[in-house]
Amino acid sequence: MAIALATKNVNEGLGGPFGAVIVRDGEVLAAEANSVTRTNDPTAHAEVNAIRAACAKLQSFQLEGCDVYTSCEPCPMCLAALYWSRCRTVFYGNTAKDAAEAGFDDSFLYDEIRLPAAQRSMPAEQMLSEEAIASFEAWRTSAQRIDY
Amino acid sequence: MAIALATKNVNEGLGGPFGAVIVRDGEVLAAEANSVTRTNDPTAHAEVNAIRAACAKLQSFQLEGCDVYTSCEPCPMCLAALYWSRCRTVFYGNTAKDAAEAGFDDSFLYDEIRLPAAQRSMPAEQMLSEEAIASFEAWRTSAQRIDY
């Protein structure tokens, strides 16, 4: 189903060749394709779209007990999103290497994220660390916080 | 501004202690806080929210020439999202280690993503690889594709 969504997305000119389906107890909670270019959203990968749709359906920010079927091994953004969602298992068709051969940056991003920050191609710089810690101090003592 | 957004988000009980601001040529394009629990969306980190808002404002799926100011070093999801957005530079206040000490999984996720897939705590399994490659073949030959 995820593969069919991916191919249909290309054939209809709606976005990249990626689809994802989220299932719990045999029920399909979400079935989404990539919509980066159609919705002007670089985060709108199939897995992210499916996580958002499944969470909206469940009215929950976690997907415990859910399995994710995706047409391609998740990129680092989607893999981390899947961890944050607390889903159970990921099943995938194509690999990150297949995606790279089709022109996508998945393998490059895995290499970048494995590097120490100072060696990555995107510059990142720490600033105002003494001021920034105040946000976490507020969090630690907040009476109304909802952990996630 | 990103730090102030993060602290305000906690003090108003709206979500986690994270804020992000995207700037281009001295103009603030987006200023967003974490909304995971409020919007039931585990992908709604401050950086992802800011990327989505800035892209909506620019009606573009890329953020060339944009700098991102975030109250905390991006988690792997947000870091990869920032790469996908093609933004220029990231400035951050707290570190992933600070986030871990405040109860967030950032450091754990960096460790997980650096592991070979088979050693990660979230099970992932390849299936239907021969069928899945059809999506990329459709992409390679598509006349209406928009590269991203």
Side-chain angles (χ1 to χ4, degrees):
Chain A
M1 187 173 170
I3 296 165
L5 271 170
T7 303
K8 181 167 172 275
N9 205 45
V10 175
N11 290 340
E12 296 185 352
L14 297 175
F18 303 96
V21 176
I22 298 181
V23 177
R24 192 180 63 178
D25 298 332
E27 180 195 0
V28 171
L29 297 176
E32 298 287 331
N34 175 291
S35 66
V36 168
T37 52
R38 183 170 57 79
T39 59
N40 283 325
D41 180 357
T43 74
H45 287 197
E47 296 94 327
V48 166
N49 286 347
I51 290 168
R52 293 167 53 93
C55 284
K57 184 160 187 175
L58 296 176
Q59 297 187 48
S60 167
F61 53 84
Q62 304 207 328
L63 295 175
E64 283 104 342
C66 293
D67 295 320
V68 179
Y69 296 83
T70 175
S71 65
C72 183
E73 190 177 2
C75 83
M77 174 181 76
C78 293
L79 182 64
L82 291 163
Y83 273 97
W84 286 120
S85 82
R86 320 289 181 200
C87 69
R88 187 167 61 184
T89 304
V90 179
F91 300 94
Y92 63 92
N94 294 303
T95 64
K97 187 166 168 289
D98 294 327
E101 287 169 4
F104 297 94
D105 282 345
D106 299 45
S107 288
F108 164 74
L109 287 186
Y110 273 106
D111 291 342
E112 282 284 307
I113 284 176
R114 288 180 171 121
L115 289 173
Q119 292 172 34
R120 291 182 194 136
S121 65
M122 181 191 291
E125 193 178 312
Q126 190 175 22
M127 59 187 283
L128 299 181
S129 60
E130 286 181 31
E131 290 84 347
I133 204 71
S135 305
F136 287 150
E137 283 163 5
W139 179 254
R140 281 192 197 92
T141 57
S142 170
Q144 50 191 341
R145 83 183 204 198
I146 301 171
D147 289 326
Y148 60 92
Chain B
M1 187 173 169
I3 296 166
L5 271 169
T7 303
K8 181 167 172 275
N9 205 45
V10 176
N11 289 341
E12 296 185 353
L14 297 174
F18 303 95
V21 176
I22 298 181
V23 176
R24 192 181 64 177
D25 298 332
E27 183 195 0
V28 172
L29 296 176
E32 298 288 331
N34 174 292
S35 65
V36 167
T37 51
R38 183 170 56 82
T39 61
N40 282 326
D41 179 357
T43 74
H45 287 198
E47 296 93 327
V48 166
N49 286 347
I51 290 168
R52 294 168 53 94
C55 285
K57 184 160 188 176
L58 296 177
Q59 297 188 46
S60 166
F61 53 84
Q62 304 206 328
L63 295 174
E64 284 102 342
C66 293
D67 295 320
V68 179
Y69 296 82
T70 174
S71 66
C72 183
E73 190 177 2
C75 83
M77 175 181 75
C78 293
L79 181 65
L82 291 163
Y83 273 97
W84 287 120
S85 81
R86 319 289 181 201
C87 69
R88 188 166 62 184
T89 304
V90 178
F91 299 93
Y92 62 92
N94 293 304
T95 63
K97 188 166 167 288
D98 294 326
E101 287 170 3
F104 297 95
D105 282 344
D106 299 46
S107 288
F108 165 75
L109 287 186
Y110 273 106
D111 291 342
E112 282 284 306
I113 285 177
R114 287 180 171 122
L115 289 173
Q119 293 174 32
R120 292 183 193 135
S121 65
M122 182 191 291
E125 193 177 312
Q126 189 175 24
M127 57 186 285
L128 300 181
S129 60
E130 287 181 29
E131 289 84 348
I133 203 71
S135 305
F136 287 150
E137 284 160 5
W139 179 252
R140 281 192 197 90
T141 58
S142 170
Q144 51 191 341
R145 84 182 204 199
I146 301 172
D147 289 325
Y148 59 92

